[in-house]
Amino acid sequence: MEVRAAYEKFYDIEADALVVTVYEGEKSDDAALKELDERTGGIVSELLGTDEMRGKQGDMVYVYRPGKIRARRLLLVGAGKREDFSFDTVRRVTGSAARFLRGKGARSMAILRRSQLDIEASAQAAVEGALLGLFEPDMYKTESKEERHMEELILAAAAPELNDTLARGVERGRVIGEAVNLARGLSNEPSSTLTPTELAERSRETASRVGLDIDVLDEARMKELGMGALLGVARGSDEPAKMIVLRYTPDGTEPLGNDADVLAVVGKGVTFDSGGISIKPSEGMEKMKYDMSGAAATLATMQIVAQLKPRINLIGLMPTVENMPSGRAYKPGDVLRAMSGKTIEVVNTDAEGRLILADAITYARRLGATQIIDLATLTGACSIALGSINVAILGNDQGFIDDMRKAGRDVGERLWQLPMDQEYRDMIKSDIADIKNSAGRYGGTITAAYFLREFAEETPWVHLDIAGTAWENDRKPHQAKGPTGVAIRTLVNYICNYAAKK
Ligand code: BES
Ligand code: MN
Ligand code: ZN
């Protein structure tokens, strides 16, 4: 999709549709609305406040041949209360409008800027909203692969002197929106094609496209490093495991504030989670192809960072396996030795995510990480606690957690902290080994986080459980159902804030 700014009057913009937002309780007394009202023969004043257009978020009125405006259609969209209007509203409204208009066959849409929000950030939000809104998880549909395509988004801008600011926002929005959709595509892809080997291949393509260093560890190298926890999980599958490591170093000659600072992002990459010998019930098992959403988010984050170039040392780790039952699979009762030296009693082979993350976290520290963020579709308990609304966040450093939560809030992603009282640690004690990989269902998200904490040790670490939020079961006006690409925008915002602070 092309995005451009238009500096002519909104009624002179050539497009299939002009999108105009209206606030709750608004009258057509503002200059732009008045002008629109006059040019459309009073449509706006007649509509505002009626049941059809109260201005509530989600209200939409579509007008055919709307009079003296150049666009062929007019779409009025409710934006909710003016005082609640935010970048998140921009994203939702743009996403809903883009989806709606594509459904009507529109190929270009213009948006009239009406808010006073920062111009760069709102341009970014509008472009993100449109790109995220237009994503469809239908890559295997054979029938008329959508003749319909939104090809152009036009931002009706205030003044040409803001050109650079606007262009920066558009570019950031494009970079972020495209990467989030890349991750959504990967989460949606069947495990028969998106194997660990294939995910490594895709990561190589991404790395060479945007200029990242990449190292893919095969099973032999992981064995040398002693990654017994990850390799234990991999044993049941015919697909060889991979540890994908991406590295970004900022260019330029000035040294970083502290050269030794390295942030690591670690994402769970289980390309299919059958549960292994502790096999899952068949109902809903098909969704376990998205159990690599953490890894996909890691790849997307690295791609974005390579393009936005903040001044930070960043590594992305994607431990990638398939969790399968077989004659060679690891079994309940087995004891694994992790890379860190800790021994783990496997009481449930379906608690595999924490095992592969354990070795990836240890490896991140070995590579010099001074701060670690891991993200994973780790526990069903997370969906029970928070549904699909909040990501669960836990960690060993309150300041770090607070910064992440704020980074999320600013991009419209919600993170809710769960407690880590010492008693939860007691629940993963094992009789035979140092720890066990499951403490059962109660407090499942917390005990899983405690397991990871054992491997982060003293390194500042934050864990995001995205099991409930990485897949949306309901279709939303602004978003298709399916993979959401959650947490990527939060991570990028955190990283950029962090780099700016140094
Ligand atoms: N990948 C699952 C968690 C999951 C469940 C993600 C549903 C998305 C939707 C994870 O590997 C898992 O199976 N966790 C177990 C842990 C239990 C055995 C301690 C769970 O949550 O049931
Ligand atoms: Mn599992
Ligand atoms: Zn899993």
Side-chain angles (χ1 to χ4, degrees):
M1 189 179 62
E2 291 282 320
V3 187
R4 69 176 174 90
Y7 300 104
E8 58 261 46
K9 287 287 186 192
F10 70 83
Y11 46 78
D12 279 334
I13 298 174
E14 153 78 28
D16 284 341
L18 173 71
V19 178
V20 178
T21 50
V22 291
Y23 302 108
E24 219 174 298
E26 186 172 26
K27 300 275 172 291
S28 51
D29 45 11
D30 137 312
L33 279 193
K34 223 181 226 155
E35 172 92 64
L36 183 65
D37 193 42
E38 278 159 22
R39 291 183 168 265
T40 55
I43 290 180
V44 178
S45 51
E46 195 178 330
L47 264 170
L48 291 191
T50 63
D51 279 355
E52 274 180 86
M53 181 45 74
R54 288 208 195 82
K56 286 206 190 315
Q57 234 186 79
D59 286 358
M60 276 196 200
V61 175
Y62 185 57
V63 185
Y64 202 84
R65 292 205 179 280
K68 293 188 193 124
I69 67 172
R70 189 118 176 258
R72 286 168 281 282
R73 308 281 184 269
L74 170 66
L75 180 64
L76 294 172
V77 192
K81 294 200 171 66
R82 195 189 276 267
E83 60 270 27
D84 297 339
F85 194 83
S86 66
F87 298 120
D88 207 38
T89 325
V90 175
R91 264 186 297 271
R92 280 166 198 262
V93 164
T94 317
S96 310
R99 289 182 67 77
F100 176 87
L101 291 170
R102 179 182 58 188
K104 300 289 180 197
R107 290 174 178 272
S108 60
M109 61 186 272
I111 304 180
L112 173 63
R113 171 178 164 82
R114 294 200 59 225
S115 81
Q116 297 304 310
L117 297 177
D118 175 78
I119 188 148
E120 180 176 347
S122 27
Q124 178 186 336
V127 175
E128 281 175 11
L131 286 169
L132 299 180
L134 291 168
F135 175 88
E136 284 299 330
D138 62 356
M139 66 182 287
Y140 285 99
K141 279 197 192 289
T142 52
E143 211 171 88
S144 78
K145 184 86 205 246
E146 286 287 306
E147 270 297 281
R148 297 156 194 230
H149 254 303
M150 189 60 76
E151 282 160 8
E152 194 180 17
L153 172 66
I154 303 149
L155 302 173
E161 62 268 26
L162 292 171
N163 217 342
D164 285 356
T165 326
L166 191 81
R168 264 201 311 278
V170 166
E171 181 60 9
R172 282 182 77 91
R174 191 187 58 75
V175 163
I176 293 172
E178 282 176 358
V180 174
N181 284 347
L182 167 87
R184 294 165 86 187
L186 291 172
S187 292
N188 194 44
E189 202 165 321
S191 64
S192 57
T193 56
L194 196 75
T195 59
T197 305
E198 182 61 19
L199 187 54
E201 222 22 72
R202 306 282 180 92
S203 304
R204 282 210 176 87
E205 280 167 27
T206 300
S208 68
R209 181 159 40 80
V210 298
L212 291 162
D213 290 331
I214 182 163
D215 186 19
V216 177
L217 282 65
D218 61 11
E219 291 190 349
R221 272 180 75 199
M222 290 191 271
K223 197 162 174 204
E224 270 167 40
L225 287 163
M227 295 186 177
L230 185 151
L231 291 169
V233 178
R235 235 162 42 213
S237 173
D238 288 347
E239 293 293 341
K242 305 285 173 189
M243 173 75 77
I244 306 164
V245 183
L246 294 155
R247 184 185 291 273
Y248 163 80
T249 0
D251 42 35
T253 43
E254 312 152 50
L256 289 175
N258 183 353
D259 261 336
D261 275 357
V262 180
L263 174 64
V265 176
V266 182
K268 171 178 173 180
V270 176
T271 56
F272 186 72
D273 182 11
S274 70
I277 298 299
S278 315
I279 198 158
K280 288 180 180 294
S282 49
E283 186 163 338
M285 203 204 272
E286 71 280 1
K287 266 182 60 190
M288 281 301 117
K289 65 178 181 179
Y290 88 94
D291 210 17
M292 34 54 69
S293 295
T298 303
L299 181 61
T301 301
M302 297 303 292
Q303 173 173 313
I304 294 167
V305 165
Q307 292 175 288
L308 299 184
K309 304 187 189 303
R311 296 198 53 78
I312 187 173
N313 293 311
L314 184 67
I315 49 179
L317 294 95
M318 303 151 66
T320 303
V321 303
E322 193 181 59
N323 187 22
M324 294 288 280
S326 84
R328 291 188 316 156
Y330 78 139
K331 302 176 292 296
D334 289 358
V335 173
L336 304 173
R337 183 181 299 273
M339 182 181 171
S340 77
K342 285 207 164 72
T343 54
I344 304 162
E345 180 190 6
V346 175
V347 297
N348 191 321
T349 63
D350 199 10
E352 84 296 340
R354 64 200 75 183
L355 295 170
I356 68 169
L357 289 168
D359 281 341
I361 288 170
T362 304
Y363 191 53
R365 299 180 74 227
R366 178 76 60 87
L367 294 176
T370 52
Q371 251 195 86
I372 300 172
I373 303 170
D374 85 76
L375 73 166
T377 46
L378 202 61
T379 63
C382 182
S383 329
I384 303 296
L386 301 172
S388 64
I389 313 298
N390 274 270
V391 170
I393 180 169
L394 305 96
N396 62 7
D397 181 322
Q398 192 58 44
F400 194 0
I401 293 172
D402 293 342
D403 290 348
M404 282 293 291
R405 288 194 67 196
K406 163 133 191 359
R409 203 173 310 126
D410 293 345
V411 298
E413 292 186 321
R414 285 164 284 185
L415 288 71
W416 192 259
Q417 186 177 359
L418 296 181
M420 293 198 85
D421 305 85
Q422 184 59 39
E423 286 87 342
Y424 294 106
R425 168 67 183 82
D426 300 337
M427 293 166 73
I428 54 170
K429 281 184 181 156
S430 161
D431 294 331
I432 190 173
D434 295 333
I435 44 175
K436 59 182 179 183
N437 78 330
S438 165
R441 295 164 60 196
Y442 297 103
T445 303
I446 302 173
T447 53
Y450 246 116
F451 184 93
L452 300 178
R453 186 174 179 156
E454 289 295 303
F455 297 88
E457 299 185 33
E458 300 313 314
T459 306
W461 154 83
V462 159
H463 162 65
L464 306 180
D465 195 331
I466 56 170
T469 43
W471 193 275
E472 181 54 66
N473 288 319
D474 300 321
R475 188 153 59 92
K476 300 279 165 61
H478 65 282
Q479 182 186 279
K481 67 177 181 183
T484 60
V486 71
I488 298 164
R489 291 184 300 109
T490 299
L491 285 172
V492 169
N493 193 32
Y494 174 82
I495 290 166
C496 293
N497 290 344
Y498 181 85
K501 237 176 18 208
K502 281 207 305 180

